[in-house]
Amino acid sequence: MAEAHQAVAFQFTVTPEGVDFRLSREALKHIYLSGINSWKRRLIRIKNGILRGVYPGSPTSWLVVVMTTLGSSYCNVDISMGLICFIQRWLPEGCGPYRTPQTRTLLSVAIFSTGVWMMGILFFRQTLKLLLSYHGWMFEMHGQTSHFTKVWAMCVRLLSGRRPMLYSFQTSLPKLPVPSVSATIHRYLESVKHLLDDKEYYRMETLAKEFQEKTAPRLQKYLVLKSWWATNYLQPPTHPQVSDWWEEYVYLKGRTPLMVNSNYYVMDLVLVKNADVQAARLGNIVHAMIKYRHKLDREEIKPVMVLGIVPMCSYQMERMFNTTRIPGKDTDVLQHLTDSRHVAVYHKGRFFKLWLYEGSRLLKPRDLEMQFQRILDDPSPPQPGEEKLAALTAGGRAEWAQVRQAFFGSGKNKAALDAIERAAFFVALDEESHRYDPEDEASLSLYGKALLHGSCYNRWFDKSFTLIAFKNGQLGLNTEHAWADAPIIGHLWEFVLGTDSFDLGYTETGHCLGKPNPVLAPPQRLQWDIPEQCQAVIESSYQVAKALADDVELYCFQFLPFGKGLIKKCRTSPDAFVQIALQLAHFRDRGRLCLTYEASMTRMFREGRTETVRSCTCESTAFVRAMAQGRHLKADLQDLFRKAAEKHQNMYRLAMTGAGIDRHLFCLYVVSKYLGVKSPFLAEVLSEPWRLSTSQTAQFQIRMFDPNQYPNHLGAGGGFGPVANDGYGVSYMIAGENTIFFHVSSKFSSSETNAQRFGNHIRQALLDIADLFQVPKADS
């Protein structure tokens, strides 16, 4: 087979005449070019490591310091105050490069200048870190920036340097601060007071006081001590493969299925159509993804900056590609490779290995389209047990770990599994079609369901992400959650969709531009030998996953009456507006309020991930109850709403600046487990259910096009499954000036929840709040 020669450089057979060697020139060329490409990549990484290591300095600034020092010495001005002469005396004498006075002077000047340059870099870094530790600017009203903050912003801009690389700011980012126990306890009690009756609150207050006085001081000391030497106090003291306790205990130690419970999905552009040809759309998208990886490896991607000033931590982007979650008996691990030159592809129950390069050259979109079309045209049937094999990644983690060790540790099964797990990412070619049709409300929900779980065996849920292509060319992603949070994959997705729409393009017939190279070896079909015992486990995992998928109700809809533009006329943040509307909707849906989770980021700190905003506050409760009573004047309701919105914005800012509640309590709980200390308070706090879990989808992280010029180039965001069995999961994207997309999930098995009913309550709550401020709404 042609593809076999790519992997084998030479073959030999033993004959009566001796050993007959047969060389494959194409394979040797492939190995040679791959080696050259690998060394180029290493050299680029070394160069980037040096440039990043001296940022905000540069070779040019070093040369300026050397020339300045040298010029002053020739003018008989000793700016070193005798240090250059001191260095010169310590240089060895005799033959060699030091024998002439001029050479010794030049060398001593270079040594002194380099020392001054390095000290300057360290000074600038520490100063920048100190400046980035100031967060007062976040708490100032829009349009009322203080003089102090203006000076601070000028200093940050001055010290940030020019043209930073992706990881240039990592060493200048401050550490996530450890909040005081008293502040955390106070904010926690405030967050639950309105959700408990007097008796329950008194009991919780007693537990909290006992914890604060007796148990917490010892736990806090360990946490503070650990924060002194760790980059982030969430990091574990051991376990080099885990970046933080949150990743380990919340994600990797989970034994329930990843599908629905952990993985989330991201949708394609839904208001425009680029191409209908499935293979062509994949050709452009996969090419754009590898271009992004190329930029990522070379750190050519600009770091994300808040307001264009404050840099965000970029460490999560390191594991975007070539990463797989490996199941274990008690805990999983994330396997990340420095490079991968292929993708794994699934179509009609068969697995393929598709090379992305020809030698050192990335395949062009038209070549990739041809390769995907070859897979689509392949008539071969699945091998026994192959069709539903990926259901193992959708079932229980312990069962998958056990069967992986038993049946995939050697032979062709290990080779095929390695091809999947070592791939850059996973690609699923679906036989069904999905697309959002504004005239068919159910179409968006069906599209979301297909991305969330598919058939339960046509996604590899362990990969960092699965790229899904439907028969009509519509795309989407299913993303594993442990390695990073949604804004990270959103950054990639924005780049890819922008490149597909505005840079690569298609022919009039919907194919990729250019001509294919027909001599390329076709994708390699992966071979399996799956015994009946293993097939029984695959079927069992599939049944577990199918029951989970069938239980998920997903209701996705586009809210058209208004969007971000008109919300701002209410003089509040769009996020606070939506969150308060969710509280009102939940009260109308369930007749009560509940503990609400909203994800915020802590990426202004080094290796920060997320923090919880407890969106159900005393102020939002007062507004919701006043709205439900229907007896209050509009002016009073407006005042209550503004207080609730201000409270929410303050809670969000506190979470972003490291003064949240839940990560601190979580780490105290982990420390208590390490020390064998029991805490009824922490045990109860960590077991409280989040019956309303919410998240806003980030957008426009990359300015590849003007949204005013291309208002319809919008994705619909993405969604996730409900966190609690009797709760809701709500993801929303304030997509533009005039539209909001919502993704509402619940479980059919709960008699108390109904995703579509809740979605309708969300619609009405948004309209009712807008009516309070007499905001004019567009036609639906």
Side-chain angles (χ1 to χ4, degrees), residues 12-54:
F12 67 90
T13 55
V14 179
T15 66
E17 291 78 20
V19 179
D20 178 28
F21 284 93
R22 286 177 293 169
L23 296 175
S24 170
R25 292 184 180 180
E26 188 64 30
L28 288 175
K29 179 183 176 183
H30 180 81
I31 293 172
Y32 168 75
L33 292 175
S34 297
I36 293 295
N37 192 49
S38 176
W39 276 106
K40 283 182 180 178
R41 192 166 52 252
R42 288 182 185 180
L43 290 174
I44 289 171
R45 284 175 178 167
I46 291 172
K47 183 197 76 170
N48 287 343
I50 294 172
L51 293 176
R52 187 191 332 122
V54 301

Side-chain angles (χ1 to χ4, degrees), residues 495-606:
F495 174 88
V496 167
L497 294 180
T499 303
D500 176 46
S501 300
F502 301 104
D503 293 345
L504 299 178
Y506 300 89
T507 65
E508 292 182 357
T509 55
H511 293 279
C512 297
L513 301 176
K515 294 183 179 180
N517 179 9
V519 301
L520 283 175
Q524 178 185 346
R525 176 76 188 275
L526 299 185
Q527 301 299 314
W528 307 90
D529 182 14
I530 303 175
E532 291 185 0
Q533 185 180 355
C534 182
Q535 292 181 38
V537 180
I538 292 172
E539 182 62 28
S540 175
S541 293
Y542 168 66
Q543 293 301 329
V544 169
K546 187 175 185 302
L548 180 60
D550 290 344
D551 194 26
V552 174
E553 180 186 8
L554 187 66
Y555 179 56
C556 307
F557 65 93
Q558 182 183 10
F559 181 78
L560 285 169
F562 58 87
K564 178 172 58 178
L566 296 182
I567 290 177
K568 288 181 177 179
K569 293 184 179 180
C570 300
R571 297 182 182 179
T572 187
S573 80
D575 182 66
F577 189 99
V578 174
Q579 284 290 331
I580 296 170
L582 291 176
Q583 294 300 315
L584 178 58
H586 190 275
F587 186 81
R588 289 171 172 174
D589 184 82
R590 301 286 294 272
R592 63 181 183 274
L593 294 162
C594 70
L595 199 61
T596 304
Y597 181 108
E598 181 188 5
S600 75
M601 58 186 176
T602 56
R603 289 173 59 204
M604 290 191 296
F605 301 97
R606 190 170 179 182

Side-chain angles (χ1 to χ4, degrees), residues 586 590 592 594-596 689-693 724 726-729 752:
H586 190 275
R590 301 286 294 272
R592 63 181 183 274
C594 70
L595 199 61
T596 304
W690 300 98
R691 290 193 171 87
L692 180 55
S693 182
D726 58 347
Y728 291 110
E752 299 183 44

